[in-house]
Amino acid sequence: MKKLCLLGLFVSLASHTVLAATTPAPIENKDAFISNLMKQMTLDEKIGQLRLISIGPEMPREMIRKEIAAGNIGGTFNSITRSENRPMQDAAMRSRLKIPMFFAYDVIHGHRTIFPIPLALASSWDMDAIGRSGRIAAQEAAADSLDITFAPMVDISRDPRWGRTSEGFGEDTYLVSRIAGVMVKAFQGTGANAADSIMASVKHFALYGAVEGGRDYNVVDMSPVKMYQDYLPPYRAAIDAGAGGVMVALNSINGVPATANTWLMNDLLRKEWGFKGLAVSDHGAIFELIKHGVARDGREAAKLAIKAGIDMSMNDTLYGKELPGLLKAGEIEQKDIDNAVREVLAAKYDMGLFKDPYLRIGKAEDDPADTYAESRLHRAEARDVARRSLVLLKNQGDTLPLKKTAKIALVGPLAKAPIDMMGSWAAAGRPAQSVTLFDGMTHALGAQSTLIYARGANITDDKKILDYLNFLNFDAPEVVDDPRPANVLIDEAVKAAKDADVVVAAVGESRGMSHESSSRTDLNIPGNQRELIRALKATGKPLVLVLMNGRPLSILEEKEQADAILETWFSGTEGGNAIADVLFGDYNPSGKLPITVPRSVGQIPTYYNHLSIGRPFTPGKPGNYTSQYFEDTTGPLFPFGYGLSYTQFSLTDMALSSTTLNKTGKLDASVVVKNTGKRDGETVVQLYIQDVTGSMIRPVKELKNFQKVLLKAGEQKVVHFTITEDDLKFYNAQLKYAAEPGKFNVEIGLDSQDVTQQSFELL
Ligand code: BGC
């Protein structure tokens, strides 16, 4: 879905004296090995290592290989097969110093097998399943000769207007941080140098999710306390888990673009956090410093970026063009370039490429005969992870699960939508291999299937939106319209509904609506689809909405109309089978929202862990002179952490082991969770803590721990959480991370709103 360009390919470097080879250092000694190599490198060769270029289908392969053999390119992205990357590595092996290339790609939620989008993965609250998805993605990508991914994307998103909400793990600092660590470990496996691992480069550093108004690429203006407390921890968690790389964000932070931000890249990332890995700019970001208005021209942009500590420049020519002149003029120092080169070489070393440049490329005779072969996919694993990520939002009168003997009408523009099922950033996933909802339900019903299908509506009737969504698709439009008039489509769906016992409507967004550069002003299901839902409701038949979308949608009206609602996000290659598993009760849903669903776009932001205020709204009391909007109900449509099951769970007997906690002590918070229904099922027990009085205002509650528990029908378990002083620490006005003595409320619930509470005192 991305426009690939030639920018960044052709650069002619001034020739410099070729240095004589020195005695090689043993490869086991990383620092000595790299220092020795650097001593032999010319300036051109050094600058060449800082170039990361995108390989588009239109690019002249021979020219690229020449550039590589001349030592002018350090790595590529978007070339994703062994046969494509081998000749480039061969070219690197023909270069004077034989420095290997690395091959990168956006492996975000799967590679060949597409797993649910990250927001959906987060909905599983299942670290084991999330880890499995990352490990398989790494194995598949490594088997296709890839060395590094630009993931995980751990930008906290609290404004669902932002299209990239789909690509992150939601609004909560604790949950996203946990997942960040899990994903890094999954990608890197036993080490980034393993043949079946890829290096993780966490993105987008930093605060990209907080762009103003949810408008992509916009500015971020944020207090240091909020940064440290809420937005930075997930990046830190990824780095602490060993992420070898960082991709730098496109946005500015408090007036300075991240790409030119020495505080961010140097003081915070490298000095304070001790990051030793590779910092890559985002696509064209160095050039964009001119547009941001902090650089007069390319020369100044290159200077700002290299000074800030941007090691590799993604797809622009500025380092190659400008660094030699800047060095000559004394505007940058040799060490600015050397530091960057050292990071690039160290990353290649850590990927295992100096020991074996063909570690992931392998031998030609072992190349898969068909890169798209079914045997290369991990369907069973994808189905299992996908069904864990589905969130049941409503189930009035036990409409779900559906009986396989029922006559079902399946309608909606997303019922047969293989591309959308994969979600955005679907790496090497192929639409032809993704299971649509129609396919999934048909398989589940088998020979007895009486499924009646009608499209019912297009994704949108707005031609302008359609054109926007198809803008980047060169070969074929991604969103294809049924040319029949809207009323004809609806009539057909209504007829199908009338002939059926129950209606399943697959509605929501196309995947491109929740993508990079897909910010929205409204969070509704597109109007024409809403017309369809109204018409279906009018038939009086039980109505099940299967939502597909990459951000929370404000489904106020639909919540009333539907008998059951299943939030499926975009659930990947096996999405259709996974959704059918839940619809027919072959799997009992267990997902929980990792992001609040607002009632309307005007309510944003609606994140649950907001700060305390002086005039809070109290439910049940008049709203006058309190903080709320007077024309609508206060509070979310569905709270953070919410999600139903086909069984019921109760929480009772919450207990704290003590009413006080010493700074060095431990407190046990426990609760009895019981499956009071008739089916086995899983739920997520969530622990929230509120620091009641502090030197600064504190959030009304914060997630501090959770456990996903499986209980047989009638079974109960005591769930224990340990609370220590660490769980109570926060960044104060001086950015000191410490806990303050005083009262703390502990809440346990199956979502963030419906909780039981106890208190203790930190001494
Ligand atoms: C995105 C990055 C991505 C890069 C390379 C950019 O437009 O912001 O997230 O890694 O493209 O595809």
Side-chain angles (χ1 to χ4, degrees):
M1 291 173 83
K2 175 175 287 298
K3 189 167 170 53
L4 306 169
C5 59
L6 284 162
L7 184 75
L9 176 58
F10 306 108
V11 104
S12 83
L13 296 170
S15 66
H16 287 261
T17 329
V18 169
L19 304 177
T22 60
T23 331
I27 197 160
E28 280 65 36
N29 185 338
K30 177 176 164 185
D31 287 343
F33 177 81
I34 291 172
S35 298
N36 183 274
L37 184 55
M38 285 181 61
K39 275 191 215 137
Q40 302 171 57
M41 293 171 80
T42 64
L43 181 63
D44 289 353
E45 284 165 338
K46 285 182 176 175
I47 294 172
Q49 285 301 308
L50 311 184
R51 285 182 69 208
L52 176 61
I53 64 162
S54 169
I55 306 284
E58 75 285 11
M59 287 168 78
R61 295 299 195 269
E62 205 174 316
M63 171 64 91
I64 295 169
R65 291 197 285 270
K66 263 194 195 148
E67 290 270 312
I68 294 172
N72 291 340
I73 299 174
T76 74
F77 63 111
N78 291 335
S79 58
I80 60 163
T81 58
R82 291 157 60 126
S83 55
E84 208 178 349
N85 289 336
R86 185 175 296 108
M88 290 197 270
Q89 197 66 300
D90 291 346
M93 292 303 108
R94 290 195 298 276
S95 69
R96 195 177 71 88
L97 293 171
K98 302 188 176 17
I99 298 174
M101 295 276 292
F102 71 66
F103 303 100
Y105 196 38
D106 289 287
V107 177
I108 310 287
H109 54 107
H111 177 60
R112 298 252 166 226
T113 311
I114 300 306
F115 286 86
I117 57 167
L119 192 62
L121 288 175
S123 302
S124 73
W125 294 55
D126 186 329
M127 298 303 120
D128 193 50
I130 294 171
R132 269 183 282 134
S133 79
R135 189 84 280 275
I136 289 168
Q139 285 163 345
E140 290 185 356
D144 271 351
S145 72
L146 297 168
D147 304 302
I148 177 167
T149 174
F150 304 127
M153 190 281 220
V154 301
D155 306 322
I156 294 287
S157 39
R158 292 177 169 180
D159 190 333
R161 290 174 295 182
W162 190 48
R164 301 192 84 165
T165 300
S166 59
E167 209 185 321
F169 300 105
E171 73 184 25
D172 183 65
T173 309
Y174 176 79
L175 182 61
V176 179
S177 300
R178 286 271 303 262
I179 298 174
V182 166
M183 281 306 262
V184 168
K185 293 208 160 101
F187 285 138
Q188 298 190 168
T190 53
N193 60 353
D196 70 345
S197 291
I198 52 176
M199 184 175 271
S201 32
V202 60
K203 69 188 184 189
H204 301 85
F205 193 64
L207 322 181
Y208 187 21
V211 284
E212 206 166 87
R215 279 196 296 282
D216 213 354
Y217 318 124
N218 220 282
V219 300
V220 174
D221 207 320
M222 189 184 283
S223 76
V225 168
K226 191 169 186 170
M227 281 184 205
Y228 272 79
Q229 192 62 36
D230 298 346
Y231 281 79
L232 293 174
Y235 309 106
R236 178 81 194 259
I239 286 161
D240 288 349
V246 159
M247 178 184 280
V248 184
L250 292 163
N251 52 280
S252 57
I253 297 172
N254 295 351
V256 183
T259 309
N261 201 318
T262 48
W263 165 75
L264 181 77
M265 299 305 300
N266 198 32
D267 302 352
L268 179 71
L269 179 68
R270 295 195 189 273
K271 290 205 184 125
E272 199 174 316
W273 291 1
F275 177 69
K276 298 246 178 327
L278 176 70
V280 181
S281 80
D282 202 344
H283 205 278
I286 300 180
F287 180 77
E288 286 172 20
L289 293 176
I290 305 171
K291 295 258 176 85
H292 279 286
V294 296
R296 262 182 311 250
D297 49 26
R299 181 183 167 89
E300 199 176 3
K303 177 176 161 182
L304 288 174
I306 196 88
K307 283 270 177 206
I310 308 296
D311 301 327
M312 278 194 116
S313 99
M314 182 188 277
N315 242 35
D316 63 33
T317 52
L318 291 177
Y319 272 4
K321 225 155 81 192
E322 306 295 353
L323 293 185
L326 285 164
L327 185 65
K328 209 161 169 200
E331 290 186 54
I332 60 169
E333 296 170 57
Q334 183 65 46
K335 75 168 170 39
D336 297 322
I337 296 175
D338 284 354
N339 287 345
V341 175
R342 182 170 284 279
E343 305 296 8
V344 176
L345 298 178
K348 291 182 174 181
Y349 185 99
D350 292 343
M351 293 171 199
L353 293 173
F354 280 108
K355 276 199 177 146
D356 181 3
Y358 296 90
L359 181 66
R360 299 180 187 86
I361 294 173
K363 295 198 181 82
E365 60 264 34
D366 298 332
D367 285 359
D370 172 12
T371 32
Y372 302 114
E374 265 298 314
S375 57
R376 305 189 79 212
L377 300 185
H378 292 82
R379 286 196 178 275
E381 294 87 343
R383 181 172 182 165
D384 181 57
V385 175
R387 54 195 205 170
R388 288 169 191 277
S389 71
L390 308 177
V391 189
L392 183 64
L393 294 177
K394 180 177 180 183
N395 194 18
Q396 187 173 291
D398 290 337
T399 307
L400 291 177
L402 300 174
K403 289 194 187 62
K404 287 188 183 163
T405 48
K407 203 164 171 200
I408 303 165
L410 173 63
V411 303
L414 291 157
K416 287 187 179 179
I419 297 184
D420 300 302
M421 194 55 105
M422 298 192 300
S424 65
W425 295 107
R430 281 199 115 186
Q433 288 176 318
S434 85
V435 179
T436 66
L437 181 55
F438 177 83
D439 297 337
M441 290 179 75
T442 306
H443 298 156
L445 292 168
Q448 58 188 327
S449 173
T450 51
L451 199 61
I452 321 167
Y453 167 77
R455 184 169 167 91
N458 286 316
I459 286 288
T460 173
D461 277 355
D462 188 326
K463 170 90 171 66
K464 248 175 44 204
I465 295 178
L466 194 67
D467 289 347
Y468 186 83
L469 295 174
N470 283 329
F471 172 68
L472 287 177
N473 309 111
F474 310 117
D475 313 330
E478 179 162 303
V479 185
V480 184
D481 257 357
D482 186 319
R484 291 175 292 167
N487 63 322
V488 173
L489 292 174
I490 290 185
D491 288 350
E492 189 182 62
V494 165
K495 185 174 174 308
K498 284 184 175 157
D499 286 347
D501 303 321
V502 58
V503 185
V504 175
V507 292
E509 300 182 307
S510 73
R511 71 164 181 176
M513 290 171 76
S514 282
H515 184 53
E516 182 177 343
S517 183
S518 298
S519 302
R520 293 187 63 189
T521 56
D522 119 28
L523 296 176
N524 292 328
I525 296 173
N528 60 316
Q529 294 187 54
R530 299 178 77 194
E531 286 303 327
L532 168 67
I533 296 167
R534 286 184 196 119
L536 294 171
K537 171 71 184 162
T539 65
K541 293 293 164 91
L543 177 60
V544 178
L545 294 188
V546 171
L547 296 179
M548 295 187 197
N549 43 274
R551 53 158 68 80
L553 296 179
S554 50
I555 44 164
L556 196 55
E557 185 185 353
E558 295 78 9
K559 185 185 170 194
E560 298 311 314
Q561 293 163 329
D563 297 282
I565 304 176
L566 185 66
E567 175 59 81
T568 71
W569 312 110
F570 296 117
S571 38
T573 305
E574 278 290 310
N577 284 331
I579 299 169
D581 285 342
V582 167
L583 291 179
F584 292 116
D586 296 322
Y587 179 80
N588 188 357
S590 62
K592 300 277 188 178
L593 293 172
I595 190 164
T596 307
V597 178
R599 295 169 61 82
S600 70
V601 75
Q603 268 191 325
I604 293 168
T606 50
Y607 57 93
Y608 80 95
N609 47 353
H610 59 84
L611 294 169
S612 296
I613 49 169
R615 294 186 179 190
F617 171 79
T618 312
K621 296 224 172 117
N624 308 58
Y625 296 101
T626 69
S627 183
Q628 40 90 48
Y629 299 103
F630 68 82
E631 358 70 311
D632 195 9
T633 306
T634 301
L637 190 60
F638 296 105
F640 174 83
Y642 182 82
L644 303 170
S645 161
Y646 293 152
T647 187
Q648 292 78 43
F649 297 97
S650 69
L651 290 183
T652 55
D653 304 303
M654 177 185 173
L656 294 184
S657 57
S658 167
T659 52
T660 58
L661 173 66
N662 287 319
K663 283 200 167 249
T664 53
K666 281 181 182 164
L667 198 77
D668 177 75
S670 62
V671 74
V672 177
V673 52
K674 181 169 185 184
N675 181 343
T676 57
K678 293 195 181 68
R679 301 176 58 115
D680 302 351
E682 279 182 287
T683 190
V684 182
V685 184
Q686 303 160 34
L687 176 86
Y688 297 88
I689 297 183
Q690 180 192 18
D691 184 351
V692 183
T693 315
S695 60
M696 299 188 68
I697 54 168
R698 305 283 298 120
V700 292
K701 63 181 75 182
E702 290 170 289
L703 182 71
K704 289 291 177 181
N705 210 338
F706 60 85
Q707 279 181 42
K708 194 158 188 177
V709 286
L710 171 66
L711 293 170
K712 296 207 174 322
E715 193 190 356
Q716 68 176 44
K717 254 184 206 161
V718 186
V719 169
H720 292 275
F721 296 105
T722 304
I723 300 171
T724 68
E725 194 208 8
D726 271 353
D727 299 310
L728 314 177
K729 288 182 176 166
F730 69 98
Y731 290 93
N732 68 15
Q734 288 72 45
L735 293 183
K736 192 169 158 239
Y737 189 58
E740 295 176 358
K743 184 181 174 190
F744 289 83
N745 290 332
V746 181
E747 298 182 346
I748 300 184
L750 300 177
D751 64 55
S752 61
Q753 224 167 45
D754 186 9
V755 292
T756 49
Q757 195 194 82
Q758 302 242 344
S759 305
F760 71 90
E761 191 94 8
L762 177 69
L763 302 175

